[in-house]
Amino acid sequence: MTSKTMNMVQALNSGLDNLMAADDRIILLGEDIGTDGGVFRVTDGLLAKYGAERVLDTPLVEVGIVGMAIGMAVQGLRPIPEIQFQDFIYTAMDQIINQMAKIRYRSGGEYECPMVLRTPYGAGVKGGLYHSQSGESYFAHTAGLTVVTPSSPYDAKGLLISASKGEDPVIFLEPKRLYRAGKQEVPEDIYKIPIGKAELVQSGDDVTIITYGAMVPTVMDTVKKNNLNADVLDLRTLVPVDKDAIMLSVQKTGRVVIVHEAPRTGGFGGEISAMITERGIDFLYAPILRVTGPDSPIPYRMEEYYVPNERRILNAVRKVLESA
Amino acid sequence: MEQQQKKESKQSEKPQYIRAYAAMVLSRTLDKKIVSAQRQGRVGFYTPTMGQEALQVGVSMALEKEDLVYGYYRDVPMMLHRGVPIETIINQIMGNSADTAKGRQMPSHYTSKALHFMSVQSPVASNLPLAAGAAYALKYRQKKNVVVTTFGDGATSTPDFHAGMNLAAVFKLPLVFVCENNGWAISLPVERQTPVEISLKASAYGMPGVKADGMNFVEMYKVARAAIQDARAGKGPTLIDALSYRMGPHSTSDDPTKYRKDDVKEGSEKDPLVIGEKLLISMDYADDKLLEKIRNEAVKTVDERFDACEKIPPPDPITAFQDVYKNMTWMLEEEVKDIL
């Protein structure tokens, strides 16, 4: 398989291209995704290649984009809608929670809703309150949804392809801070990364750091710079989360730090923490600590104070290491 | 020649109209049966359809077998006319093990994929954007079929109504919007829902909007047929404002005496079934004897099927937790173990 150096935007674009070439049921729809190629250029060039019937520049209506995609999926297509910023998804939440997530259940399995809803999320591009949110918990709390978030170009493409090949709706959260943050060798053809499996990014004995999405590179930088002997788990999929990978690591280290960018209260870290204590409190030598965004909106000028950084991650790691 | 054609069309029209009337009667009979069963505690809840039979049957008459319906929770007459077995409806109301959705949804939320009836949600109008997507899929596959989506007058105030209408117009979709304007959104009269006539809203989207007498199944059929023909011919969507009346309460939990006086009594001149009977007699398609026979058969069918469905046991509890995903997640497996 030939590969190419790609950033995350290019990898996603390549994944969409592969999917569309292989399957005419794949339809893209969203705001400015056609002629403009998407505000982040993820769908660049696909209109020219696949035509306006398969790459739809829609009116500005999130509830309509999602609702229309659901109708397409129910009638046998495989839509991949884009919501321009995750912050704008909330008018479509009724469609996501009450339609998309419940089609299979409420129809006794007669109807299905296989689709991938892509949307960029997270801070780091100076977007302020309305272009920076991390709302993964809203989706994780709804039965019927699969929630995926990649942390590298390679993962982004492989997870997107898996998500699109599944039989259920997937919320695909793209960490926009990483869109152009780094390049990687990425296969040009189709390949899959399994949904529901975490990746052990680095192996160590002293502490388990559990993270996902845009925080993965920040955690890895911290670990490398400070020579931490840590297991670093990139969850990749939040729902269904990979409990086996988590428990295996916790059993080994007995010390856990969870890092995510979303606010702490009701955040996904709380779920992981509860899961670990329910299953293995006896393995723990220290309280589980969370390093998260604060329970505030995301500021524009002072963004760097919001997003978890090396200092805060290191503090938490030291604390759990110091516990008896 | 012309006379011959007229005679032929009359020959095919007669059974078509009789069938339409029979579906209305069957629906009305079932409606009353369910409401009385609810009062006896044999059924949990129901949203009666009384008063909306003619409009729904009129639409259904204009549909072809492979056309799709994205309806709402008051579409029993349309389902029965389309050929959905009466058991499908009763079993759904009962939430028993023979229900398509295994008793997961509260009564009045039907599904019939075999007859292209999309499963019904509760939140009002959220089926409209879906209908646009479904219509897009038909157009994309170059099928000659159309989608009909139904909703009440209250739905016209929602964001989803706007989204669905606008998308259908922008993409010129084979989609017909049927507003089952029964005058009431629970307690709010349509005059308070919107200050303009609902059919006029269509002009804001650049599509035709037509008013139809939803109490007269023949008039309704003609209006629906024209709109559906246009959609099928690639001329894009139409909004039909089907004027009717919700003769019953919003649901069995609602007491309409709190907010309105009943102005269409069953059996009165305004009752769509009475209007239908008069039409059939005036066209010489039926006489009192035939009409009575249809009514008696409906009672017999409803009583028999209702009793039979009532004997069907409830679903296996495990089914309450299936079909959330294609394959059950480990979380749910664990939770179910704790419950069952």
Side-chain angles (χ1 to χ4, degrees), chain A:
Chain A
M1 205 188 278
T2 56
S3 67
K4 221 169 135 178
T5 310
M6 297 184 200
N7 63 28
M8 190 183 281
V9 166
Q10 292 163 329
L12 287 165
N13 183 276
S14 163
L16 290 171
D17 190 2
N18 293 157
L19 286 165
M20 293 187 84
D23 186 349
D24 74 349
R25 296 174 303 168
I26 306 280
I27 306 279
L28 310 186
L29 64 159
E31 294 156 14
D32 310 298
I33 67 158
T35 312
D36 194 35
V39 295
F40 288 104
R41 304 289 173 264
V42 173
T43 52
D44 209 22
L46 298 175
L47 172 68
K49 198 161 173 185
Y50 297 101
E53 284 188 347
R54 297 187 64 194
V55 182
L56 279 62
D57 269 325
T58 67
L60 201 162
V61 57
E62 284 75 14
V63 59
I65 294 166
V66 176
M68 201 170 163
I70 296 167
M72 291 176 177
V74 166
Q75 292 309 324
L77 301 180
R78 293 274 174 146
I80 307 182
E82 173 182 300
I83 297 297
Q84 204 161 70
F85 286 84
Q86 188 251 285
D87 316 56
F88 305 153
I89 211 167
Y90 304 115
T91 60
M93 283 306 262
D94 176 53
Q95 287 290 344
I96 293 170
I97 294 170
N98 285 324
Q99 293 279 10
M100 193 198 236
K102 293 180 173 57
I103 299 276
R104 181 188 296 282
Y105 184 79
R106 76 166 194 234
S107 68
E110 284 205 338
Y111 289 106
E112 302 181 313
C113 190
M115 60 182 280
V116 184
L117 177 51
R118 295 181 38 246
T119 189
Y121 80 113
V125 297
K126 289 277 179 202
L129 281 65
Y130 302 116
H131 295 77
S132 308
Q133 297 176 30
S134 294
E136 63 270 23
S137 285
Y138 300 124
F139 308 108
H141 199 57
T142 297
L145 300 178
T146 298
V147 184
V148 173
T149 178
S151 66
S152 68
Y154 180 83
D155 283 11
K157 179 172 172 178
L159 286 167
L160 178 72
I161 288 165
S162 291
S164 178
K165 300 272 183 199
E167 304 302 322
D168 289 303
V170 177
I171 304 289
F172 196 84
L173 299 166
E174 299 170 1
K176 70 171 92 68
R177 180 159 81 250
L178 303 187
Y179 266 157
R180 294 168 192 282
K183 291 195 171 191
Q184 221 178 351
E185 280 298 303
V186 175
E188 290 190 281
D189 289 340
I190 282 199
Y191 64 94
K192 283 186 182 177
I193 292 179
I195 306 277
K197 294 275 172 230
E199 192 197 16
L200 189 63
V201 188
Q202 141 152 350
S203 191
D205 299 318
D206 294 347
V207 58
T208 299
I209 307 178
I210 301 169
T211 188
Y212 53 87
M215 292 315 302
V216 174
T218 312
V219 166
M220 282 308 293
D221 287 349
T222 305
V223 165
K224 280 182 189 155
K225 226 168 125 183
N226 299 280
N227 285 317
L228 299 176
N229 186 12
D231 255 8
V232 176
L233 264 184
D234 173 0
L235 293 180
R236 283 176 169 168
T237 301
L238 303 186
V239 180
V241 76
D242 187 350
K243 73 165 185 316
D244 296 340
I246 292 172
M247 293 316 295
L248 198 69
S249 177
V250 171
Q251 218 166 318
K252 180 173 69 171
T253 67
R255 299 173 200 273
V256 182
V257 171
I258 302 163
V259 183
H260 62 61
E261 192 179 306
R264 186 172 58 171
T265 302
F268 201 70
E271 183 56 41
I272 308 265
S273 173
M275 201 185 88
I276 294 169
T277 54
E278 279 171 356
R279 277 154 208 281
I281 197 157
D282 293 345
F283 302 135
L284 295 176
Y285 303 125
I288 297 169
L289 290 187
R290 288 175 287 171
V291 182
T292 71
D295 290 304
S296 76
I298 300 144
Y300 168 64
R301 278 293 291 274
M302 302 294 145
E303 191 184 42
E304 65 268 29
Y305 289 90
Y306 184 94
V307 180
N309 56 19
E310 181 188 341
R311 183 183 59 79
R312 291 182 57 213
I313 296 165
L314 203 54
N315 278 346
V317 169
R318 283 185 179 143
K319 256 191 213 168
V320 300
L321 288 176
E322 282 161 15
S323 284

